[in-house]
Amino acid sequence: MSEFSPQRDVALDALNSFGLNARADFFFELNDKAQLPGLFAWLQQHSLPLLLLGEGSNVLLTDDFRGLVLSNRLKGIEVEETDEQVILDVAAGENWHELVQWCLANSYYGLENLALIPGNVGAAPVQNIGAYGVEIAQRCLAVEYFDLETGQLQWLSEADCKFGYRDSIFKHALKGRALITQVRLALPQSWEPVVSYGPLAKLGDDVDAEQIFDAVVATRSAKLPDPSQLGNAGSFFKNPVVEQAKLDALLAAHPELPHYPAAQQRYKLAAGWLIDSLGLKGFQLGGAAVHKDQALVLVNTGGAVAADILALCQHVRQRVWAHYGVELEPEVRFIGERGEVHYSELVESLS
């Protein structure tokens, strides 16, 4: 068993993309699966909450964390090729965007639509990351995780991951129990471009993966601020999904409303458009603001505290509900002093 000796009282401002000042009572960087038994024994002994923190790109730290923060830094990529597929076993601590770049450099295609999504590989299946017509659920064969209740490594098939829109079993039955260690991806040998969504449609069907990658990077770079320059967690809200009757009522009043087919005869609305249409770009509360160029992004303008971002989140949600009767659900995870907290509980504490 490798030694497991966490640091005490560690600042987390550099480990969350909002750049908020928060601290962890204990902190450990996981670099080797051989450290997992030591982690399990330590948690059994101390009975403290655990926060799994990759690159902190989809979290809002609302308080100091009174437990152990574990930063996943497992590295490595293994490749197996068949006639039909390229199978990649990718360690959870690998950077997602760097993986996409590596795939292109090695002529493995199928992830280019997911370029420039922040975070590490282990976070990708939790959120079922997706962009421009592709979700990781379409490329995932299986996920390996360390079961924090049994101390064993387990594999889940793609079907058992129960992927949904920005959702998976890791947000529900395995929430707080699964430490993802590896993700198995399958990319097609016979590649076809996915260019039906948004700005990619103008590329046409006669396009290669590098051109799609370049277009996605250019689009995301123009829309999303660099967290190293302006603290943010990317898209703060999910795109809401509504029934046909609700869509019809909305279109009768707002015929210009963007909408896209979703599963089960439902429709996805553009959350950014809803917010932008209410003139909220640039709106500021304390040190938090709606980004001036991308309404879906809330930013730390400098010196923001979690309460500023929470208040801004609630203001945006209330405005959208009042005007459209549509409820915006945050995509960002809210982390309190003992773990994840539903945003409704935090909003109540502000009132």
Side-chain angles (χ1 to χ4, degrees):
M1 182 187 300
S2 294
E3 181 182 0
F4 187 87
S5 181
Q7 299 172 258
R8 291 177 176 267
D9 189 27
V10 174
L12 301 175
D13 53 310
L15 293 169
N16 73 97
S17 60
F18 266 117
L20 296 179
N21 293 322
R23 305 189 72 83
D25 283 359
F26 296 93
F27 176 84
F28 188 80
E29 205 169 80
L30 182 72
N31 296 297
D32 193 319
K33 288 183 186 179
Q35 296 168 322
L36 291 171
L39 163 67
F40 182 71
W42 191 93
L43 290 172
Q44 294 289 306
Q45 178 183 355
H46 289 81
S47 299
L48 288 172
L50 172 68
L51 172 61
L52 307 176
L53 194 64
E55 297 186 5
S57 59
N58 196 47
V59 298
L60 177 66
L61 302 178
T62 66
D63 213 328
D64 292 336
F65 190 72
R66 301 305 181 188
L68 172 68
V69 170
L70 188 76
S71 182
N72 192 333
R73 293 292 178 261
L74 297 174
K75 301 292 184 182
I77 304 173
E78 296 180 3
V79 182
E80 178 186 344
E81 294 198 43
T82 69
D83 290 341
E84 294 81 26
Q85 296 178 318
V86 177
I87 299 171
L88 304 177
D89 275 313
V90 188
E94 293 284 350
N95 176 271
W96 177 263
H97 179 64
E98 291 176 5
L99 170 66
V100 177
Q101 291 176 305
W102 181 91
C103 286
L104 284 177
N106 287 277
S107 301
Y108 302 144
Y109 305 135
L111 298 181
E112 53 282 340
N113 294 56
L114 304 179
L116 217 59
I117 293 179
N120 64 18
V121 169
V126 176
Q127 191 72 359
N128 186 20
I129 60 171
Y132 303 109
V134 175
E135 290 182 333
I136 193 176
Q138 300 164 253
R139 305 289 186 248
C140 182
L141 277 182
V143 175
E144 182 192 58
Y145 71 95
F146 182 71
D147 191 318
L148 294 163
E149 290 189 6
T150 67
Q152 302 296 314
L153 282 168
Q154 308 279 352
W155 279 96
L156 278 183
S157 69
E158 179 273 334
D160 289 337
C161 288
K162 301 187 185 304
F163 289 123
Y165 173 57
R166 303 296 176 267
D167 201 19
S168 70
I169 193 173
F170 304 106
K171 286 189 169 185
H172 301 284
L174 290 180
K175 182 177 178 180
R177 178 173 174 172
L179 164 56
I180 293 176
T181 51
Q182 190 166 298
V183 178
R184 181 167 294 161
L185 302 171
L187 306 183
Q189 292 280 20
S190 180
W191 174 83
E192 293 184 2
V194 178
V195 290
S196 58
Y197 191 96
L200 300 187
K202 64 184 179 184
L203 295 176
D205 293 328
D206 186 20
V207 63
D208 61 33
E210 285 82 2
Q211 289 172 308
I212 293 175
F213 173 87
D214 290 342
V216 170
V217 168
T219 302
R220 291 185 69 90
S221 298
K223 291 171 60 177
L224 301 174
D226 182 348
S228 67
Q229 304 298 317
L230 191 64
N232 73 92
S235 299
F236 197 92
F237 299 100
K238 297 179 184 179
N239 288 322
V241 178
V242 299
E243 306 287 345
Q244 178 75 60
K246 178 63 177 178
L247 177 66
D248 291 343
L250 285 168
L251 288 175
H254 312 281
E256 72 281 17
L257 174 70
H259 56 283
Y260 309 92
Q264 300 174 327
Q265 296 183 315
R266 304 171 79 201
Y267 295 86
K268 189 183 299 182
L269 308 181
W273 186 93
L274 297 174
I275 300 166
D276 188 15
S277 71
L278 299 175
L280 288 172
K281 278 183 181 175
F283 180 82
Q284 186 163 346
L285 285 176
V290 179
H291 191 253
K292 63 182 179 62
D293 297 323
Q294 173 49 269
L296 202 52
V297 178
L298 306 187
V299 299
N300 177 0
T301 64
V305 295
D308 296 337
I309 300 169
L310 286 168
L312 182 61
C313 165
Q314 182 64 355
H315 178 81
V316 170
R317 293 180 69 246
Q318 288 174 338
R319 288 285 306 276
V320 170
W321 174 258
H323 195 79
Y324 293 106
V326 172
E327 184 173 10
L328 290 186
E329 183 180 349
E331 187 171 323
V332 169
R333 298 169 58 217
F334 298 84
I335 308 297
E337 64 178 8
R338 298 191 63 81
E340 190 165 355
V341 183
H342 195 272
Y343 62 88
S344 61
E345 298 177 41
L346 296 166
V347 167
E348 287 177 10
S349 70
L350 291 176
S351 52

mmCIF file of all heavy atoms in Angstrom, residues 247-279:
data_model
loop_
_atom_site.group_PDB
_atom_site.id
_atom_site.type_symbol
_atom_site.label_atom_id
_atom_site.label_comp_id
_atom_site.label_asym_id
_atom_site.label_seq_id
_atom_site.Cartn_x
_atom_site.Cartn_y
_atom_site.Cartn_z
ATOM 1 N N LEU A 247 -43.702 24.846 -25.646
ATOM 2 C CA LEU A 247 -43.004 25.447 -26.781
ATOM 3 C C LEU A 247 -43.977 26.223 -27.664
ATOM 4 O O LEU A 247 -43.676 27.341 -28.094
ATOM 5 C CB LEU A 247 -42.301 24.372 -27.602
ATOM 6 C CG LEU A 247 -41.597 24.876 -28.872
ATOM 7 C CD1 LEU A 247 -40.428 25.795 -28.519
ATOM 8 C CD2 LEU A 247 -41.124 23.711 -29.729
ATOM 9 N N ASP A 248 -45.136 25.631 -27.940
ATOM 10 C CA ASP A 248 -46.118 26.304 -28.789
ATOM 11 C C ASP A 248 -46.534 27.639 -28.184
ATOM 12 O O ASP A 248 -46.652 28.647 -28.892
ATOM 13 C CB ASP A 248 -47.347 25.405 -28.979
ATOM 14 C CG ASP A 248 -47.042 24.181 -29.835
ATOM 15 O OD1 ASP A 248 -46.005 24.192 -30.530
ATOM 16 O OD2 ASP A 248 -47.836 23.223 -29.793
ATOM 17 N N ALA A 249 -46.752 27.643 -26.869
ATOM 18 C CA ALA A 249 -47.154 28.881 -26.199
ATOM 19 C C ALA A 249 -46.042 29.926 -26.262
ATOM 20 O O ALA A 249 -46.298 31.117 -26.491
ATOM 21 C CB ALA A 249 -47.523 28.585 -24.744
ATOM 22 N N LEU A 250 -44.808 29.486 -26.092
ATOM 23 C CA LEU A 250 -43.679 30.410 -26.154
ATOM 24 C C LEU A 250 -43.508 30.978 -27.556
ATOM 25 O O LEU A 250 -43.278 32.179 -27.733
ATOM 26 C CB LEU A 250 -42.389 29.696 -25.721
ATOM 27 C CG LEU A 250 -42.229 29.441 -24.217
ATOM 28 C CD1 LEU A 250 -41.081 28.473 -23.960
ATOM 29 C CD2 LEU A 250 -41.983 30.756 -23.457
ATOM 30 N N LEU A 251 -43.636 30.121 -28.568
ATOM 31 C CA LEU A 251 -43.450 30.587 -29.944
ATOM 32 C C LEU A 251 -44.568 31.532 -30.381
ATOM 33 O O LEU A 251 -44.339 32.431 -31.202
ATOM 34 C CB LEU A 251 -43.367 29.388 -30.893
ATOM 35 C CG LEU A 251 -42.080 28.557 -30.816
ATOM 36 C CD1 LEU A 251 -42.184 27.329 -31.706
ATOM 37 C CD2 LEU A 251 -40.872 29.404 -31.212
ATOM 38 N N ALA A 252 -45.756 31.346 -29.824
ATOM 39 C CA ALA A 252 -46.850 32.257 -30.155
ATOM 40 C C ALA A 252 -46.533 33.675 -29.692
ATOM 41 O O ALA A 252 -46.868 34.658 -30.370
ATOM 42 C CB ALA A 252 -48.148 31.769 -29.509
ATOM 43 N N ALA A 253 -45.856 33.774 -28.563
ATOM 44 C CA ALA A 253 -45.495 35.095 -28.029
ATOM 45 C C ALA A 253 -44.122 35.558 -28.493
ATOM 46 O O ALA A 253 -43.865 36.765 -28.589
ATOM 47 C CB ALA A 253 -45.531 35.052 -26.501
ATOM 48 N N HIS A 254 -43.249 34.590 -28.797
ATOM 49 C CA HIS A 254 -41.857 34.922 -29.161
ATOM 50 C C HIS A 254 -41.442 34.046 -30.348
ATOM 51 O O HIS A 254 -40.695 33.070 -30.193
ATOM 52 C CB HIS A 254 -40.912 34.688 -27.980
ATOM 53 C CG HIS A 254 -41.380 35.285 -26.688
ATOM 54 N ND1 HIS A 254 -41.252 36.620 -26.393
ATOM 55 C CD2 HIS A 254 -42.006 34.704 -25.623
ATOM 56 C CE1 HIS A 254 -41.760 36.848 -25.194
ATOM 57 N NE2 HIS A 254 -42.220 35.710 -24.708
ATOM 58 N N PRO A 255 -41.915 34.350 -31.547
ATOM 59 C CA PRO A 255 -41.647 33.484 -32.709
ATOM 60 C C PRO A 255 -40.166 33.341 -33.050
ATOM 61 O O PRO A 255 -39.777 32.403 -33.749
ATOM 62 C CB PRO A 255 -42.413 34.175 -33.844
ATOM 63 C CG PRO A 255 -42.687 35.564 -33.370
ATOM 64 C CD PRO A 255 -42.779 35.500 -31.881
ATOM 65 N N GLU A 256 -39.336 34.256 -32.576
ATOM 66 C CA GLU A 256 -37.901 34.202 -32.877
ATOM 67 C C GLU A 256 -37.131 33.291 -31.916
ATOM 68 O O GLU A 256 -35.905 33.127 -32.040
ATOM 69 C CB GLU A 256 -37.307 35.618 -32.822
ATOM 70 C CG GLU A 256 -37.169 36.229 -31.427
ATOM 71 C CD GLU A 256 -38.470 36.788 -30.841
ATOM 72 O OE1 GLU A 256 -39.567 36.459 -31.336
ATOM 73 O OE2 GLU A 256 -38.364 37.562 -29.863
ATOM 74 N N LEU A 257 -37.810 32.671 -30.966
ATOM 75 C CA LEU A 257 -37.165 31.857 -29.937
ATOM 76 C C LEU A 257 -36.442 30.654 -30.547
ATOM 77 O O LEU A 257 -37.070 29.798 -31.186
ATOM 78 C CB LEU A 257 -38.223 31.359 -28.944
ATOM 79 C CG LEU A 257 -37.770 30.375 -27.864
ATOM 80 C CD1 LEU A 257 -36.889 31.088 -26.853
ATOM 81 C CD2 LEU A 257 -38.979 29.757 -27.170
ATOM 82 N N PRO A 258 -35.115 30.531 -30.364
ATOM 83 C CA PRO A 258 -34.402 29.353 -30.874
ATOM 84 C C PRO A 258 -34.830 28.092 -30.114
ATOM 85 O O PRO A 258 -34.994 28.115 -28.897
ATOM 86 C CB PRO A 258 -32.924 29.667 -30.598
ATOM 87 C CG PRO A 258 -32.880 31.134 -30.328
ATOM 88 C CD PRO A 258 -34.194 31.498 -29.741
ATOM 89 N N HIS A 259 -35.018 26.992 -30.834
ATOM 90 C CA HIS A 259 -35.391 25.734 -30.189
ATOM 91 C C HIS A 259 -34.900 24.577 -31.056
ATOM 92 O O HIS A 259 -34.764 24.703 -32.273
ATOM 93 C CB HIS A 259 -36.905 25.644 -29.990
ATOM 94 C CG HIS A 259 -37.690 25.797 -31.262
ATOM 95 N ND1 HIS A 259 -37.905 27.023 -31.869
ATOM 96 C CD2 HIS A 259 -38.304 24.876 -32.059
ATOM 97 C CE1 HIS A 259 -38.609 26.856 -32.968
ATOM 98 N NE2 HIS A 259 -38.866 25.561 -33.112
ATOM 99 N N TYR A 260 -34.637 23.452 -30.372
ATOM 100 C CA TYR A 260 -34.064 22.298 -31.052
ATOM 101 C C TYR A 260 -34.747 21.027 -30.532
ATOM 102 O O TYR A 260 -35.074 20.934 -29.345
ATOM 103 C CB TYR A 260 -32.552 22.201 -30.779
ATOM 104 C CG TYR A 260 -31.812 23.486 -31.035
ATOM 105 C CD1 TYR A 260 -31.603 24.409 -30.009
ATOM 106 C CD2 TYR A 260 -31.341 23.793 -32.303
ATOM 107 C CE1 TYR A 260 -30.937 25.607 -30.250
ATOM 108 C CE2 TYR A 260 -30.671 24.983 -32.543
ATOM 109 C CZ TYR A 260 -30.475 25.885 -31.513
ATOM 110 O OH TYR A 260 -29.822 27.073 -31.748
ATOM 111 N N PRO A 261 -34.965 20.049 -31.394
ATOM 112 C CA PRO A 261 -35.577 18.793 -30.940
ATOM 113 C C PRO A 261 -34.716 18.108 -29.887
ATOM 114 O O PRO A 261 -33.487 18.080 -29.978
ATOM 115 C CB PRO A 261 -35.651 17.952 -32.221
ATOM 116 C CG PRO A 261 -35.551 18.934 -33.343
ATOM 117 C CD PRO A 261 -34.697 20.048 -32.847
ATOM 118 N N ALA A 262 -35.371 17.574 -28.864
ATOM 119 C CA ALA A 262 -34.711 16.769 -27.844
ATOM 120 C C ALA A 262 -35.419 15.417 -27.789
ATOM 121 O O ALA A 262 -36.300 15.137 -28.591
ATOM 122 C CB ALA A 262 -34.753 17.486 -26.496
ATOM 123 N N ALA A 263 -35.047 14.581 -26.861
ATOM 124 C CA ALA A 263 -35.635 13.248 -26.771
ATOM 125 C C ALA A 263 -37.085 13.313 -26.301
ATOM 126 O O ALA A 263 -37.510 14.295 -25.674
ATOM 127 C CB ALA A 263 -34.813 12.389 -25.810
ATOM 128 N N GLN A 264 -37.822 12.262 -26.603
ATOM 129 C CA GLN A 264 -39.188 12.062 -26.102
ATOM 130 C C GLN A 264 -40.123 13.220 -26.464
ATOM 131 O O GLN A 264 -40.906 13.685 -25.633
ATOM 132 C CB GLN A 264 -39.164 11.842 -24.581
ATOM 133 C CG GLN A 264 -38.343 10.623 -24.178
ATOM 134 C CD GLN A 264 -38.191 10.474 -22.681
ATOM 135 O OE1 GLN A 264 -38.121 11.462 -21.958
ATOM 136 N NE2 GLN A 264 -38.131 9.238 -22.224
ATOM 137 N N GLN A 265 -40.032 13.674 -27.697
ATOM 138 C CA GLN A 265 -40.907 14.723 -28.226
ATOM 139 C C GLN A 265 -40.891 15.992 -27.363
ATOM 140 O O GLN A 265 -41.910 16.638 -27.162
ATOM 141 C CB GLN A 265 -42.343 14.201 -28.361
ATOM 142 C CG GLN A 265 -42.458 13.063 -29.376
ATOM 143 C CD GLN A 265 -43.873 12.593 -29.554
ATOM 144 O OE1 GLN A 265 -44.597 12.400 -28.582
ATOM 145 N NE2 GLN A 265 -44.290 12.416 -30.803
ATOM 146 N N ARG A 266 -39.716 16.324 -26.905
ATOM 147 C CA ARG A 266 -39.514 17.556 -26.152
ATOM 148 C C ARG A 266 -38.536 18.427 -26.918
ATOM 149 O O ARG A 266 -37.931 18.000 -27.900
ATOM 150 C CB ARG A 266 -39.023 17.254 -24.731
ATOM 151 C CG ARG A 266 -39.959 16.318 -23.968
ATOM 152 C CD ARG A 266 -39.352 15.862 -22.661
ATOM 153 N NE ARG A 266 -39.469 16.878 -21.633
ATOM 154 C CZ ARG A 266 -38.703 16.938 -20.551
ATOM 155 N NH1 ARG A 266 -37.731 16.059 -20.376
ATOM 156 N NH2 ARG A 266 -38.879 17.877 -19.644
ATOM 157 N N TYR A 267 -38.376 19.661 -26.433
ATOM 158 C CA TYR A 267 -37.570 20.630 -27.173
ATOM 159 C C TYR A 267 -36.630 21.375 -26.234
ATOM 160 O O TYR A 267 -37.008 21.760 -25.127
ATOM 161 C CB TYR A 267 -38.484 21.620 -27.917
ATOM 162 C CG TYR A 267 -39.292 20.942 -28.991
ATOM 163 C CD1 TYR A 267 -40.515 20.344 -28.690
ATOM 164 C CD2 TYR A 267 -38.813 20.853 -30.300
ATOM 165 C CE1 TYR A 267 -41.244 19.687 -29.665
ATOM 166 C CE2 TYR A 267 -39.539 20.202 -31.282
ATOM 167 C CZ TYR A 267 -40.752 19.623 -30.960
ATOM 168 O OH TYR A 267 -41.460 18.971 -31.925
ATOM 169 N N LYS A 268 -35.407 21.568 -26.728
ATOM 170 C CA LYS A 268 -34.382 22.277 -25.963
ATOM 171 C C LYS A 268 -34.385 23.757 -26.370
ATOM 172 O O LYS A 268 -34.402 24.093 -27.549
ATOM 173 C CB LYS A 268 -33.011 21.660 -26.245
ATOM 174 C CG LYS A 268 -31.885 22.153 -25.362
ATOM 175 C CD LYS A 268 -30.555 21.526 -25.766
ATOM 176 C CE LYS A 268 -30.577 20.025 -25.623
ATOM 177 N NZ LYS A 268 -29.264 19.431 -25.963
ATOM 178 N N LEU A 269 -34.387 24.625 -25.370
ATOM 179 C CA LEU A 269 -34.315 26.059 -25.603
ATOM 180 C C LEU A 269 -32.904 26.546 -25.321
ATOM 181 O O LEU A 269 -32.153 25.920 -24.567
ATOM 182 C CB LEU A 269 -35.304 26.800 -24.696
ATOM 183 C CG LEU A 269 -36.750 26.320 -24.709
ATOM 184 C CD1 LEU A 269 -37.600 27.175 -23.761
ATOM 185 C CD2 LEU A 269 -37.327 26.358 -26.117
ATOM 186 N N ALA A 270 -32.536 27.668 -25.915
ATOM 187 C CA ALA A 270 -31.201 28.236 -25.719
ATOM 188 C C ALA A 270 -31.218 29.155 -24.501
ATOM 189 O O ALA A 270 -31.748 30.269 -24.553
ATOM 190 C CB ALA A 270 -30.766 29.003 -26.959
ATOM 191 N N ALA A 271 -30.642 28.675 -23.393
ATOM 192 C CA ALA A 271 -30.649 29.453 -22.155
ATOM 193 C C ALA A 271 -29.968 30.807 -22.352
ATOM 194 O O ALA A 271 -30.428 31.828 -21.829
ATOM 195 C CB ALA A 271 -29.960 28.667 -21.041
ATOM 196 N N GLY A 272 -28.871 30.821 -23.116
ATOM 197 C CA GLY A 272 -28.163 32.082 -23.345
ATOM 198 C C GLY A 272 -29.039 33.108 -24.041
ATOM 199 O O GLY A 272 -29.002 34.302 -23.727
ATOM 200 N N TRP A 273 -29.851 32.653 -24.993
ATOM 201 C CA TRP A 273 -30.754 33.562 -25.716
ATOM 202 C C TRP A 273 -31.802 34.130 -24.762
ATOM 203 O O TRP A 273 -32.108 35.331 -24.814
ATOM 204 C CB TRP A 273 -31.424 32.823 -26.864
ATOM 205 C CG TRP A 273 -32.264 33.715 -27.740
ATOM 206 C CD1 TRP A 273 -31.878 34.350 -28.883
ATOM 207 C CD2 TRP A 273 -33.640 34.066 -27.532
ATOM 208 N NE1 TRP A 273 -32.916 35.087 -29.399
ATOM 209 C CE2 TRP A 273 -34.015 34.937 -28.593
ATOM 210 C CE3 TRP A 273 -34.590 33.746 -26.567
ATOM 211 C CZ2 TRP A 273 -35.297 35.475 -28.698
ATOM 212 C CZ3 TRP A 273 -35.864 34.281 -26.668
ATOM 213 C CH2 TRP A 273 -36.213 35.132 -27.721
ATOM 214 N N LEU A 274 -32.363 33.279 -23.905
ATOM 215 C CA LEU A 274 -33.370 33.746 -22.937
ATOM 216 C C LEU A 274 -32.802 34.852 -22.047
ATOM 217 O O LEU A 274 -33.448 35.876 -21.813
ATOM 218 C CB LEU A 274 -33.852 32.581 -22.075
ATOM 219 C CG LEU A 274 -34.569 31.428 -22.787
ATOM 220 C CD1 LEU A 274 -34.844 30.282 -21.814
ATOM 221 C CD2 LEU A 274 -35.866 31.902 -23.428
ATOM 222 N N ILE A 275 -31.591 34.643 -21.558
ATOM 223 C CA ILE A 275 -30.963 35.624 -20.669
ATOM 224 C C ILE A 275 -30.622 36.907 -21.430
ATOM 225 O O ILE A 275 -30.912 38.017 -20.975
ATOM 226 C CB ILE A 275 -29.688 35.024 -20.030
ATOM 227 C CG1 ILE A 275 -30.046 33.776 -19.203
ATOM 228 C CG2 ILE A 275 -28.981 36.054 -19.149
ATOM 229 C CD1 ILE A 275 -28.852 32.937 -18.812
ATOM 230 N N ASP A 276 -30.052 36.729 -22.611
ATOM 231 C CA ASP A 276 -29.649 37.879 -23.428
ATOM 232 C C ASP A 276 -30.856 38.733 -23.813
ATOM 233 O O ASP A 276 -30.789 39.966 -23.836
ATOM 234 C CB ASP A 276 -28.922 37.371 -24.675
ATOM 235 C CG ASP A 276 -28.304 38.496 -25.497
ATOM 236 O OD1 ASP A 276 -28.183 39.625 -24.992
ATOM 237 O OD2 ASP A 276 -27.942 38.229 -26.657
ATOM 238 N N SER A 277 -31.976 38.080 -24.129
ATOM 239 C CA SER A 277 -33.167 38.810 -24.577
ATOM 240 C C SER A 277 -33.716 39.740 -23.507
ATOM 241 O O SER A 277 -34.465 40.672 -23.802
ATOM 242 C CB SER A 277 -34.254 37.820 -24.997
ATOM 243 O OG SER A 277 -34.798 37.158 -23.863
ATOM 244 N N LEU A 278 -33.336 39.501 -22.254
ATOM 245 C CA LEU A 278 -33.794 40.342 -21.149
ATOM 246 C C LEU A 278 -32.802 41.447 -20.824
ATOM 247 O O LEU A 278 -32.947 42.147 -19.816
ATOM 248 C CB LEU A 278 -34.040 39.466 -19.912
ATOM 249 C CG LEU A 278 -35.117 38.388 -20.093
ATOM 250 C CD1 LEU A 278 -35.199 37.491 -18.873
ATOM 251 C CD2 LEU A 278 -36.467 39.027 -20.370
ATOM 252 N N GLY A 279 -31.795 41.601 -21.671
ATOM 253 C CA GLY A 279 -30.835 42.689 -21.495
ATOM 254 C C GLY A 279 -29.907 42.511 -20.313
ATOM 255 O O GLY A 279 -29.423 43.494 -19.745
#
